[in-house]
Amino acid sequence: MYFSELFEIEYKAEYDWFNPILENDTLLFVDPFLIFSDRDESWRQGYNEIMNYFQSAFDLLARSKLNPKHQFYKRTLTLMEFPEPREFRLGFASKSSAGSGSGPGLASKVVEAMSQAVRRGIEDIEHFEELGILVSGINRDRISDITCNLLKPRLIKYTQRVCHSLDIPMEIREVKHSRFDEVRSRWVDDDYLVPVDPETDQPVLLVPKRFLRELPTLSSNNWGEFLDSSLRDDLNLNISENMKKEDIVALARQNPEVLRQWIRYTEDRGSSPYDVDSDPMLYVQWQRLAREAMTDEPTPEPPTINTPEDLLKFAHSAIDHFRHWAEEKSGWRVFWRDITELKPVPETNMQLLFLGVLDHYCERAGVILDREIETGRGPVDFTFTSAGNIRVLLEMKKLTHGEFWNGLRTQTPTYMRSQRTEHAIFLAVRDSLTRPMNERWQKLEPEAEAASEQNGCTIEVARIDIMPKKSASNS
């Protein structure tokens, strides 16, 4: 359910606020650079407050003389801890909107990077996102978390203004990490009048959609692309799309003047938000599309599931249900952000569509369909779980995925061992008709049989073809 549906509002494109999905986090992130460059002075002031916060932390760290036992060093560590801001429903999550946030471990990395900067005579940063380039553990999710945490007082007021303008009811709830106690020099929880999700009884906070991006403007990926060939030669580098984050971090630490040059270049060039309303990558509209897909589809009577084989059979029937929509009901169209150039949406978004279409189908059969369940050896894409903890795993891969065969031969058996499960399905999504991909498509069954025999388990194959289809009159 979308926020607007909960409060019976017809959401319009001209609204300034992002309309979140309540049950699942949306794979978009608040980009602080867009706040820094916003036309609204009050939001720019908010960014200044973020930078003042980090500058105070730098000052505190410098006064500790980088002694980990000093109280100022310990206080800096506390200031760099940011919990998962679950109220916004943004970032990385799977079945629910709960996440891990930025805990003590990451705070230690941040403070260590700040310490290295102090040792080099750098006692401030121009944009706090620099830490995302200087610290390998700070990704786009963490940058967004930090931004939402530090701007939470402003975003609470923003949410309240939206609710007042649209007559959205609010209730008093405690909001985590929502007020900075100047006396104690730490963030505390406090009560506010906010909209509430009745399913969880937890607050929901809104953000302006013009602040959302897929990646922060100031990110290690973008900085790597900035380095031209001459600079790469000067630095004796072999930079490519496969360059590891650790290498980029080391490069940034060794060449801070080049990093600052790029930041000023980016300030002059500017940046743009993700187009939430057209949603070319299907980050936002997947739930609505999945719901519409099943509107006219009859739901069969729930089967009896007593054995792993029964659940395996049901899982195949669920995939057939999804395949019928994708291949026969023109569902394949939503898998492409550009059909002309055959550019598909990300694999994660295909998985969200799969979840959205089949969630109710499985629920009616008494089967729980979970996405990205941690196995201890990494997250498996899906699990079907029935009464008695009977479980079947499903790994879903685009045919063109660079780790396609590794997913079948290694990942799936590893996940099965971790979950002590004997049955799994490897679901291949056809997104190319090239000769190598056609050969890959044809080799699926023999490869699955070989992996099953080698690992003493049952891995079966399923297929979905999302290639554009001709109309019935032209086929």
Side-chain angles (χ1 to χ4, degrees), residues 2 8 151 171 173 228 230 249 284 292 309 375 383 396 399 401-403 406 448 456:
Y2 294 90
E8 299 180 347
L151 290 182
E171 302 174 36
R173 287 294 186 279
D228 60 30
S230 61
V249 168
V284 185
E292 291 175 355
E309 289 75 18
T375 63
T383 60
M396 182 178 185
L399 195 62
H401 196 291
E403 297 291 322
N406 182 62

Side-chain angles (χ1 to χ4, degrees), residues 203-259:
V204 181
L205 296 179
L206 304 174
V207 299
K209 59 187 175 185
R210 67 182 184 277
F211 295 154
L212 299 180
R213 277 176 59 90
E214 298 171 86
L215 285 173
T217 302
L218 301 179
S219 66
S220 56
N221 303 61
N222 293 339
W223 186 53
E225 294 174 1
F226 166 74
L227 300 176
D228 60 30
S229 57
S230 61
L231 184 57
R232 298 181 194 194
D233 293 339
D234 291 342
L235 297 176
N236 192 27
L237 295 173
N238 181 20
I239 297 177
S240 70
E241 292 181 358
N242 297 322
M243 187 176 184
K244 294 181 179 180
K245 177 68 180 285
E246 290 75 14
D247 298 329
I248 296 176
V249 168
L251 177 61
R253 290 177 175 177
Q254 295 165 11
N255 300 273
E257 71 287 348
V258 180
L259 180 60

Side-chain angles (χ1 to χ4, degrees), residues 1-141:
M1 178 180 291
Y2 294 90
F3 177 84
S4 60
E5 294 174 331
L6 172 62
F7 294 105
E8 299 180 347
I9 297 166
E10 182 181 354
Y11 186 78
K12 301 176 183 178
E14 57 262 31
Y15 287 155
D16 178 68
W17 48 279
F18 174 67
N19 188 21
I21 297 171
L22 298 179
E23 303 89 350
N24 295 80
D25 285 357
T26 299
L27 288 170
L28 291 173
F29 308 86
V30 175
D31 180 10
F33 187 87
L34 293 175
I35 301 174
F36 157 79
S37 58
D38 195 59
R39 294 180 180 180
D40 189 323
E41 184 178 351
S42 65
W43 285 113
R44 294 199 304 273
Q45 180 58 38
Y47 187 86
N48 291 338
E49 292 172 2
I50 293 177
M51 293 311 302
N52 289 338
Y53 183 88
F54 276 94
Q55 185 58 53
S56 297
F58 263 102
D59 294 341
L60 200 62
L61 185 63
R63 290 167 59 192
S64 76
K65 297 182 180 181
L66 308 185
N67 179 4
K69 296 183 180 180
H70 197 285
Q71 61 174 335
F72 289 161
Y73 191 99
K74 295 178 180 178
R75 180 59 56 84
T76 307
L77 281 171
T78 300
L79 291 174
M80 290 300 107
E81 288 187 22
F82 300 98
E84 169 74 17
R86 303 178 182 180
E87 304 88 357
F88 299 96
R89 309 317 200 250
L90 295 168
F92 292 115
S94 52
K95 184 68 176 177
S96 71
S97 58
S100 58
S102 306
L106 188 58
S108 298
K109 289 185 178 182
V110 173
V111 174
E112 175 56 31
M114 294 167 65
S115 299
Q116 292 186 23
V118 171
R119 292 188 187 101
R120 294 194 303 268
I122 301 174
E123 297 189 4
D124 64 355
I125 50 177
E126 296 182 6
H127 292 268
F128 90 89
E129 306 96 296
E130 288 181 55
L131 295 175
I133 304 173
L134 296 169
V135 183
S136 60
I138 301 183
N139 58 19
R140 53 184 171 170
D141 203 31

